[in-house]
Amino acid sequence: MTLTNRINNCRTSIFKAVFPSTTNHYDTLFGGTAMQLMDEVAFITATRFSRQKMVTVSSDKIDFTKPIPAGTFVELVGNVVKVGTSSLKIEVDVFIEEMYSEKRESAIKGLFTFVAIDDDKKPTKLNY
């Protein structure tokens, strides 16, 4: 399998409903909850790419451009954007989708770095 095919095949998309139990006093999704969901999607994307043990080593600039209200869906999309010797950069985009209309818009974008580790939890080369 080519690197381009591997990258395309590991694209990950997850939908979640935003319920009041996950919102703050403004009735919008907690930023920390959004970041947790983004890290989870990034982890799944990295693992699907490598089929190895992967750990988060950094989250780079995360831009919150739109508040995410209760009563909406969010789609989190993870894509590999850079492949290193032992690391991957995963971009995660979060989209708001209204439940009862076709309206959809970008809300959050962030970049996560993952490293492959061996059984001793030491960085190891990516196998691809």
Side-chain angles (χ1 to χ4, degrees), residues 88-103:
L88 295 172
K89 288 204 180 277
I90 311 293
E91 184 175 76
V92 178
D93 293 294
V94 181
F95 299 93
I96 306 167
E97 188 174 304
E98 292 186 0
M99 286 189 188
Y100 306 111
S101 80
E102 298 293 321
K103 186 175 180 189

Side-chain angles (χ1 to χ4, degrees), residues 18-31 33 67-70:
V18 180
F19 294 113
S21 63
T22 61
T23 63
N24 57 29
H25 57 291
Y26 300 115
D27 292 325
T28 59
L29 186 66
F30 279 112
T33 301
I68 300 175

